[in-house]
Amino acid sequence: MHIGSLINGIEVRGEGREEHEIRSPYNGEVVGVVEYGTREDIEQAVQTAYRVFHETMKKMPAYRRSEILRKAADSLEAQAEDFARLLMAEAGKPIRDARGEVGRAIQVIRFASEEAKANDGELIKMDSAIGGENRIGFAKRYPVGVVAAITPFNFPLNLVLHKLATAFAAGCTVVLKPAEKTPLSAMKLARLLEEAGYPKGALNVVNGTGVDLVEPLVTHPLVKKVTFTGSGPVGWKIKEMAGPRKVTLELGSNSPNLIFNDANLEIAVESILKGGFTFAGQACISVQRVYVQKDVYQPLLDRLVPKVASLRIGDPALESTDIGPMITEQAAIRAEEWIREAASEGATILVGGERNGNIVSPTIITDTKHHMKVVCQEVFAPLITVIPFETEEEVIAAANDSDYGLQAGVFTSDINRAFRIAELLETGGVWINEVSTVRTDHIPYGGVKLSGLGKEGVKYAIEDMTETKFIGVRLL
């Protein structure tokens, strides 16, 4: 596959542009070639999106936007295996996980199709205020216009659709800058959306590096909304650059998961196993800090360690593979360095800790200290730390003692405790008897502290891609 950028329905290639190979993180094989776009491409893409918004998208009725999204979902469903194979190739995602991502992506589009026809305002009871008699008032939502969407490598289809499908449902147009490591699925998706009926130029894709393209995109005067998923330092820099524009940031975390002595340990272990190691731990809400009450600390480890040791590592194309490669060898080396650093400071590696090229074996670390990077920073690797605690107050303080706050998990059979802790945890979301890693695509999803700003989740993202206008009538 050889791709360039997509502007006004035309693929822009050639003219001496930089070419970069997209290689499989697993075996290094070339799976595609991408020609990088330029600042001039950004200018043309934004101008195109602005023109198409005013000429077409803002006038398109809701039922038509809904129909096109529904057709796109059906088309993606028909091509599900092709997309899954592409995700596996460019991101190194085990094929079972890749199929799961495609399934979620289909669901996102269908949610967006439904929300495109949902109520877009409210009637206001005007005579609630003194002087409001004989007046009618209502608030109506209008699409903001051009949306700049910047997406990461780890879910190169589903996270792209959380921005594109919602923008289209709202009536906006988009300029997309996908992750340079995984642009192939985004380009294939863009073509699918056009074939489903979206106007040419409603979606424009400019491929390249963030260093070259993000600043001219998010500062363009015609861009009205910026939505970014990725690393914290980059996200907060984007917010600074975006100035008066609406901004949604979905950033990192080091998710805490609390296991009390009355928890169902079998469910907790199976949940941690999946939540800590799916896609080699490369998820913002991946299980990282596991706090276990001392009564059940060793029994939990006795169950968890052999299961982690038995996870199958290898070729993402094999149906049996549990753990594939990390996205780059540099990312794997960083994880290995953090593991070694923790061990040198007294931590114990119970299982894993080895690296072979891009692959880091699934790892459990104990005897950690709060200042260790594997605890206090976002590791973004197949690694969990297991930490004992005694009291509820102690574990809440430890869980909240973090710069991050995206999602958390709490395992307990005490419903009062569960809700009490859910209220006290400083995170954007809390799961009870489930791990932090679970995200369904219609819930409000977003963090606090350094984990982000604003909410995604189809309905909530659509709301943030609109502006509310009040219209009042005095009855004569």
Side-chain angles (χ1 to χ4, degrees):
M1 182 182 289
H2 192 127
I3 64 170
S5 294
L6 184 69
I7 302 174
N8 199 29
I10 299 170
E11 192 165 342
V12 181
R13 295 197 306 188
E15 303 175 9
R17 293 165 184 271
E18 286 185 43
E19 288 191 359
H20 292 263
E21 294 177 335
I22 306 299
R23 292 180 174 271
S24 162
Y26 175 67
N27 56 23
E29 290 182 0
V30 176
V31 296
V33 176
V34 58
E35 295 185 21
Y36 279 1
T38 63
R39 285 176 171 249
E40 291 73 25
D41 292 331
I42 289 287
E43 177 66 30
Q44 187 179 356
V46 175
Q47 292 283 355
T48 298
Y50 181 79
R51 173 181 57 79
V52 173
F53 172 69
H54 285 282
E55 291 180 357
T56 307
M57 281 301 297
K58 71 185 297 186
K59 302 173 185 177
M60 184 181 288
Y63 78 84
R64 179 64 182 143
R65 298 198 304 271
S66 179
E67 285 176 349
I68 294 170
L69 284 164
R70 187 166 61 250
K71 184 177 179 181
D74 293 343
S75 181
L76 181 56
E77 190 169 47
Q79 301 176 57
E81 188 64 17
D82 289 344
F83 272 89
R85 294 280 167 187
L86 185 55
L87 293 176
M88 177 198 71
E90 71 173 344
K93 184 165 289 194
I95 188 61
R96 291 178 302 171
D97 296 335
R99 291 189 184 115
E101 179 175 349
V102 176
R104 284 183 60 192
I106 294 165
Q107 182 172 248
V108 166
I109 306 177
R110 290 190 170 136
F111 276 139
S113 175
E114 295 165 4
E115 288 292 336
K117 297 190 292 185
N119 182 19
D120 67 348
E122 63 174 335
L123 187 66
I124 299 169
K125 190 171 182 62
M126 296 303 295
D127 61 2
S128 296
I130 297 171
E133 299 89 339
N134 299 315
R135 285 166 171 81
I136 296 172
F138 58 93
K140 192 175 189 305
R141 290 187 173 275
Y142 295 86
V144 295
V146 179
V147 174
I150 305 163
T151 55
F153 74 85
N154 56 336
F155 290 88
L157 182 66
N158 196 43
L159 292 185
V160 167
L161 275 166
H162 265 285
K163 302 180 189 305
L164 302 191
T166 52
F168 292 152
C172 298
T173 55
V174 180
V175 178
L176 170 67
K177 207 300 282 184
E180 56 263 34
K181 298 180 182 69
T182 54
L184 304 178
S185 51
M187 202 67 163
K188 186 176 176 68
L189 174 66
R191 288 303 191 188
L192 180 149
L193 289 169
E194 283 195 350
E195 291 167 5
Y198 262 95
K200 293 185 186 304
L203 169 61
N204 303 275
V205 183
V206 184
N207 284 303
T209 65
V211 171
D212 293 330
L213 301 179
V214 166
E215 186 270 337
L217 176 58
V218 303
T219 60
H220 198 289
L222 298 181
V223 168
K224 299 302 180 185
K225 158 82 179 179
V226 177
T227 174
F228 169 81
T229 301
S231 74
V234 174
W236 295 112
K237 181 64 177 176
I238 285 174
K239 180 178 182 294
E240 185 180 308
M241 289 190 293
R245 297 160 189 81
K246 299 184 77 174
V247 177
T248 298
L249 302 177
E250 299 297 341
L251 309 176
S253 191
N254 54 0
S255 300
N257 289 262
L258 287 52
I259 302 173
F260 287 88
N261 56 12
D262 60 351
N264 183 314
L265 291 189
E266 292 302 324
I267 289 176
V269 166
E270 290 301 325
S271 300
I272 293 167
L273 193 68
K274 184 175 182 180
F277 302 105
T278 295
F279 192 37
Q282 296 172 117
C284 297
I285 45 178
S286 183
V287 172
Q288 183 172 330
R289 295 179 289 154
V290 180
Y291 294 97
V292 186
Q293 202 157 25
K294 283 190 175 179
D295 304 18
V296 293
Y297 177 76
Q298 195 57 49
L300 180 128
L301 287 174
D302 291 343
R303 289 171 169 83
L304 183 61
V305 169
K307 286 182 179 290
V308 171
S310 67
L311 290 172
R312 290 156 295 192
I313 306 168
D315 187 348
L318 299 178
E319 302 283 347
S320 59
T321 296
D322 298 309
I323 304 289
M326 295 186 66
I327 191 66
T328 63
E329 187 170 17
Q330 182 181 6
I333 289 171
R334 189 198 72 151
E336 181 187 34
E337 288 174 348
W338 285 17
I339 293 168
R340 297 299 164 215
E341 181 180 291
S344 71
E345 295 178 0
T348 301
I349 302 170
L350 291 187
V351 63
E354 299 87 18
R355 180 182 67 85
N356 180 11
N358 288 26
I359 295 179
V360 174
S361 59
T363 303
I364 298 176
I365 299 179
T366 59
D367 303 317
T368 56
K369 300 178 180 67
H370 179 73
H371 72 273
M372 293 178 178
K373 292 175 183 174
V374 294
V375 177
C376 68
Q377 297 188 33
E378 181 184 37
V379 67
F380 220 63
L383 180 157
I384 64 171
T385 59
V386 183
I387 304 164
F389 72 90
E390 291 187 354
T391 68
E392 184 177 312
E393 294 73 20
E394 173 194 351
V395 74
I396 291 169
N400 287 341
D401 187 12
S402 172
D403 292 332
Y404 300 106
L406 189 45
Q407 288 204 156
V410 179
F411 290 81
T412 178
S413 296
D414 184 337
I415 192 66
N416 294 302
R417 170 192 279 160
F419 280 101
R420 185 167 61 245
I421 291 174
E423 293 284 342
L424 294 171
L425 288 174
E426 297 169 355
T427 56
V430 178
W431 278 100
I432 296 168
N433 290 326
E434 183 58 275
V435 282
S436 58
T437 318
V438 174
R439 176 186 179 182
T440 55
D441 298 297
H442 63 312
I443 65 171
Y445 174 81
V448 297
K449 303 190 224 182
L450 295 186
S451 285
L453 181 70
K455 295 291 182 184
E456 286 196 336
V458 175
K459 171 187 173 183
Y460 306 93
I462 291 171
E463 288 178 354
D464 208 43
M465 291 178 180
T466 62
E467 296 283 8
T468 300
K469 179 186 289 186
F470 169 78
I471 300 173
V473 180
R474 179 183 178 184
L475 302 177
L476 301 178

